[in-house]
Amino acid sequence: MTLLTTALFAATAAFVALSVVIVYRIVRGPTMQDRVIAVNAVGTNTVVVIALIGAATDDPGVLDIALVYALLNFLMSIAISKFTVERGGVM
Amino acid sequence: MSNGNDENGDENLGERLYVESPIIMATVRVVAPFVLTFGLFIMFHGADSSGGGFQGGVIVSTVVLMVAIAFGIEPTRDWVDPTTIVAVMGIGVSVFLLIGMGSVALGGRFLEYHAYPVYHASKYGIELVELAIGVIVASVVVGLFFAIAAGVSHGDDAEPAESEGLL
Amino acid sequence: MVTITEGAVVALLAGGVFFGLVAAVGLLRLPDLYTRTHAASKTDTLGAGLTLAAVAVVYDAGLPTVKAGLLLVFLLITNPTAAHAIARAAADQGIEPWTAEDGGDEQ
Amino acid sequence: MTSGRLLVPVSESVALRNTVAYAVRHVVESKAAEGAVHFVYPYSPQMVTGMDTSGVDELLERVEVWADDDLGDDAGAVDVQTAVIGAGEYLFSPGDYADVLAEYGEREDLETVVLDPEFSPSGTTPLLPPLEAELERAGFEVLEAPVERPTRRARLVRGGNVGQFLLVAALSFGFYLLIGGSLSTFDLVTGGLSGVIVATVLWRVCFSGPVRPGRLLKRIGRMSVYTFYLVWEIVIANLQIAYVVLHPRLPIDPKMVEFDAAVWSEIPVTTLANSITLTPGTLTVDVDSQSFTVHSLTAGARDDLFSGGLERAVRFVFYGRAAARIPSPRERGEEGSDDGGAES
């Protein structure tokens, strides 16, 4: 393993660990918005992790998947926010 | 409280009006064409890369969902018009069937591209079929979205009990 | 010997992980939804940004570099919008922001 | 028949804000001589809600503030009261809840109950349908607060011209070739095709008005300058946040502020709002035409916001150099329009 791949995998592991830490906020809440913001943060981390894995394994096609994931992450956040507000808090 | 909505309090007595966020709308306006192009790109490159009709179709339908979330479902329904969705779905299915049955007519099996007397028949065949699948997937997802949204929202004279059942 | 590329990548990755860490700590430590949104929207965006920049450098100015750049731009546009959407929903539902006077450690 | 005297059982719920608004509106619209809303919290010490009495008092206080908010000018006409009921009794089944509610309702002469659709004082148990039945049997008229809200929407599709169509098609085509990374015949053909499709679908959605190419180019040029400025600001902002978050004592002083920004129309406002969100300790919570509601993390962040560097930069991008010289929010006297929160 070269220095580059080691660094990339180390960063991947770090981001995965951070996501696991953030899961505490998803479980704990207390409000639904707290959970959404935490899920959004985990989503952003996931995008980064996908991109990092792609770089470490030298597979550029993975970047497309990261892009789609980023898109879905955004869609999730605005969808939950909108529908909770418009329906007075009920999903 | 700091939602700027209460300013219209005179006309609607404490009823809190919901206004779509201009920030989300503008972001969607900017992002939508690029996402749609990306979706089409994935659809067209089904044969030779990680993409495919199914994935591309889902991304394309995401554009409509995004617009619906930012601008509200009703205006979006007016914009895309359910009959268009059904028509597009029909076109997708017929293209798929035409290619499939065409090879049968030329003496091959269903979707056997080599039956076509065209150079690179298999490549273009797969391409077209992926495209048809993408179109079908996109229109089905959008159609389902509108169908579900219609079931959940309370119409003027809908029975409350009925909508609860659908929730 | 460490090349310039390798040095840049490692530095960018270190920065990215650092800000990712700040985001995670902020999400856990800060007292209410709005302050947590600060941590998530800004710090996570920069953390992701630096890391994606590292990825772009790794690919060495090819097509994937462009894609990593696009991903970065997309995150820069959408993340603040998502944060705004969530904060707006919270404000609309009447969740009051925490102020220094509330003090203590509710959480 | 609509009664002007309502009983509203409350508990911690996501739909509470909406229910309060509905109940208040209901009373105001009934035009009853002695309109009254009683918000009651059925509290039982055995309940597993993880809430002590102080939490309950705080909830009721919040509800009262909301109700006053919604009443506005009608505050004198309606009697808003809050109470904790059932303390000391063991509340378990929907019947128990209905009993204490009925007892309170009879004592206070209330005929109608408004139920929060998410009302669930005992945690996760689905309580609503049986509670509704029990209350109706006890002789109350039961209303459930609706979850849909009236909505005002912006226009999705706007007028367009050929320039717009071509611009969207060109953008799409360029983007297609960029992500494809090749100029083969196949890519050129499919790219052109997607350009046409994208433009057909979205040409009247993407732009807020007719396109003037010259102005657009100028804006793009200035935008790239702005991006560097923004990235620099973002880095500084994040270092500040990192300091605050990692500091052992967490030196934050969060506060909501409102100010009117001197930018107009959708895209500039959004650019400013998202830039505010990305930079020093500030987060755009809501925008109503020009009025921004911003949550700020520290006093220093508020200072930066009111000194208007970002706002000036956004004006520079969209309206050119002359507009950048409009005074900052502080000079316009916008500062000090704090909204709620603590006194500084």
Side-chain angles (χ1 to χ4, degrees):
Chain A
M1 257 215 260
T2 64
L3 174 67
L4 268 185
T5 34
T6 318
L8 288 170
F9 275 122
T12 311
F15 271 100
V16 170
L18 290 174
S19 305
V20 172
V21 171
I22 298 176
V23 168
Y24 170 81
R25 183 52 70 198
I26 303 176
V27 175
R28 186 70 164 65
T31 66
M32 195 192 33
Q33 278 79 17
D34 280 303
R35 296 195 172 97
V36 177
I37 203 78
V39 170
N40 193 37
V42 171
T44 310
N45 282 359
T46 312
V47 171
V48 171
V49 165
I50 295 174
L52 280 172
I53 291 177
T57 57
D58 203 21
D59 180 3
V62 169
L63 281 174
D64 288 340
I65 302 169
L67 213 49
V68 175
Y69 199 88
L71 174 65
L72 292 181
N73 197 27
F74 171 61
L75 197 66
M76 185 252 350
S77 297
I78 62 171
I80 295 184
S81 316
K82 182 224 169 75
F83 289 126
T84 50
V85 174
E86 202 181 16
R87 303 223 164 104
V90 181
M91 271 299 278
Chain B
M1 272 302 292
S2 49
N3 54 354
N5 305 349
D6 291 4
E7 271 132 43
N8 313 37
D10 300 343
E11 53 199 64
N12 46 31
L13 304 165
E15 182 169 23
R16 295 181 318 137
L17 190 70
Y18 175 64
V19 187
E20 307 280 0
S21 164
I23 295 182
I24 302 177
M25 289 192 286
T27 308
V28 168
R29 272 186 210 285
V30 171
V31 167
F34 297 105
V35 175
L36 187 54
T37 311
F38 183 62
L40 289 170
F41 176 83
I42 299 278
M43 255 203 232
F44 282 122
H45 290 252
D48 54 350
S49 72
S50 58
F54 198 89
Q55 294 90 318
V58 171
I59 299 173
V60 167
S61 63
T62 306
V63 175
V64 180
L65 302 206
M66 212 157 65
V67 169
I69 287 164
F71 293 86
I73 291 167
E74 292 311 317
T76 315
R77 204 198 301 272
D78 294 341
W79 174 54
V80 284
D81 187 15
T83 36
T84 321
I85 299 173
V86 175
V88 169
M89 210 185 298
I91 292 173
V93 173
S94 17
V95 168
F96 182 83
L97 282 180
L98 270 179
I99 297 171
M101 299 311 284
S103 59
V104 175
L106 290 171
R109 278 170 299 158
F110 189 69
L111 281 181
E112 189 179 358
Y113 306 111
H114 300 292
Y116 289 101
V118 190
Y119 182 62
H120 271 332
S122 145
K123 182 177 183 239
Y124 292 119
I126 292 177
E127 211 63 69
L128 270 175
V129 165
E130 288 282 352
L131 204 60
I133 291 174
V135 167
I136 297 169
V137 168
S139 47
V140 165
V141 170
V142 172
L144 274 179
F145 175 75
F146 283 129
I148 293 171
V152 168
S153 66
H154 297 244
D156 285 333
D157 47 5
E159 290 287 318
E162 180 195 345
S163 39
E164 264 165 34
L166 282 164
L167 266 169
Chain C
M1 216 25 238
V2 181
T3 63
I4 296 175
T5 316
E6 282 171 341
V9 169
V10 171
L12 285 171
L13 283 179
V17 170
F18 171 72
F19 283 112
L21 176 77
V22 172
V25 171
L27 270 173
L28 296 199
R29 265 193 90 189
L30 289 169
D32 83 331
L33 176 108
Y34 300 98
T35 49
R36 279 176 214 142
T37 314
H38 281 281
S41 64
K42 283 182 265 289
T43 330
D44 219 23
T45 307
L46 186 64
L50 290 175
T51 321
L52 287 175
V55 170
V57 174
V58 169
Y59 279 123
D60 218 15
L63 170 65
T65 309
V66 175
K67 273 194 186 159
L70 286 175
L71 194 50
L72 186 78
V73 171
F74 188 80
L75 281 182
L76 275 183
I77 295 176
T78 55
N79 255 1
T81 307
H84 154 77
I86 295 163
R88 188 173 192 264
D92 189 272
Q93 267 170 48
I95 297 173
E96 296 285 333
W98 182 94
T99 57
E101 279 174 4
D102 295 352
D105 47 346
E106 51 183 77
Q107 181 283 97
Chain D
M1 59 150 236
T2 48
S3 158
R5 299 182 65 78
L6 300 183
L7 175 62
V8 188
V10 294
S11 70
E12 198 61 72
S13 110
V14 282
L16 186 56
R17 180 71 191 86
N18 205 45
T19 308
V20 172
Y22 173 78
V24 168
R25 180 171 47 119
H26 192 86
V27 171
V28 172
E29 276 175 3
S30 73
K31 303 258 191 291
E34 288 179 28
V37 193
H38 289 234
F39 296 101
V40 298
Y41 192 102
Y43 177 72
S44 143
Q46 294 91 343
M47 280 184 332
V48 225
T49 51
M51 233 188 177
D52 52 8
T53 347
S54 70
V56 174
D57 289 342
E58 198 214 323
L59 178 77
L60 289 175
E61 211 171 281
R62 216 164 59 202
V63 167
E64 209 168 339
V65 171
W66 286 340
D68 284 344
D69 235 29
D70 290 339
L71 276 171
D73 299 337
D74 303 303
V78 178
D79 177 25
V80 178
Q81 289 201 23
T82 56
V84 180
I85 58 170
E89 275 176 65
Y90 182 72
L91 301 177
F92 180 73
S93 72
D96 299 340
Y97 282 99
D99 285 346
V100 290
L101 285 173
E103 193 189 312
Y104 181 87
E106 264 154 40
R107 197 167 65 233
E108 300 286 336
D109 185 29
L110 308 168
E111 304 126 26
T112 310
V113 178
V114 172
L115 282 178
D116 184 334
E118 295 281 287
F119 178 67
S120 141
S122 56
T124 51
T125 349
L127 191 63
L128 206 56
L131 181 63
E132 216 173 315
E134 293 278 354
L135 282 171
E136 262 164 9
R137 218 184 38 183
F140 286 97
E141 186 195 358
V142 180
L143 299 172
E144 193 176 316
V147 290
E148 289 288 318
R149 281 167 53 184
T151 306
R152 190 177 67 210
R153 300 191 192 285
R155 271 178 44 227
L156 166 61
V157 179
R158 330 232 188 134
N161 57 22
V162 186
Q164 251 161 281
F165 185 89
L166 290 179
L167 186 64
V168 176
L171 265 180
S172 168
F173 183 58
F175 184 70
Y176 190 98
L177 294 181
L178 185 69
I179 51 178
S182 84
L183 289 173
S184 65
T185 326
F186 177 76
D187 275 324
L188 286 175
V189 171
T190 52
L193 198 58
S194 11
V196 172
I197 295 173
V198 170
T200 316
V201 176
L202 292 172
W203 68 295
R204 288 191 304 167
V205 172
C206 296
F207 294 99
S208 47
V211 180
R212 266 169 272 165
R215 205 176 62 173
L216 197 71
L217 276 181
K218 265 190 217 152
R219 278 188 182 179
I220 290 172
R222 289 192 295 242
M223 189 67 126
S224 44
V225 177
Y226 173 72
T227 313
F228 284 106
Y229 169 74
L230 185 67
V231 167
W232 176 244
E233 287 282 313
I234 290 173
V235 172
I236 299 293
N238 275 281
L239 289 174
Q240 285 174 2
I241 297 277
Y243 168 76
V244 167
V245 166
L246 298 178
H247 193 284
R249 280 204 316 276
L250 211 60
I252 55 170
D253 175 25
K255 203 154 120 186
M256 286 277 194
V257 291
E258 274 181 27
F259 77 105
D260 288 333
V263 290
W264 307 269
S265 84
E266 205 174 10
I267 297 289
V269 165
T270 303
T271 313
L272 178 58
N274 279 2
S275 307
I276 286 176
T277 303
L278 279 173
T279 46
T282 46
L283 166 73
T284 312
V285 173
D286 207 352
V287 178
D288 193 359
S289 62
Q290 284 177 26
S291 152
F292 282 63
T293 305
V294 177
H295 186 263
S296 56
L297 198 57
T298 59
R302 281 193 286 282
D303 253 23
D304 288 350
L305 181 67
F306 285 125
S307 61
L310 270 179
E311 197 192 317
R312 190 164 292 145
V314 170
R315 272 203 301 272
F316 165 70
V317 170
F318 288 97
Y319 313 113
R321 200 176 291 274
R325 281 194 288 272
I326 293 176
S328 70
R330 175 171 291 137
E331 288 150 4
R332 292 200 306 269
E334 285 292 341
E335 193 177 20
S337 59
D338 293 347
D339 168 63
E343 296 83 29
S344 45

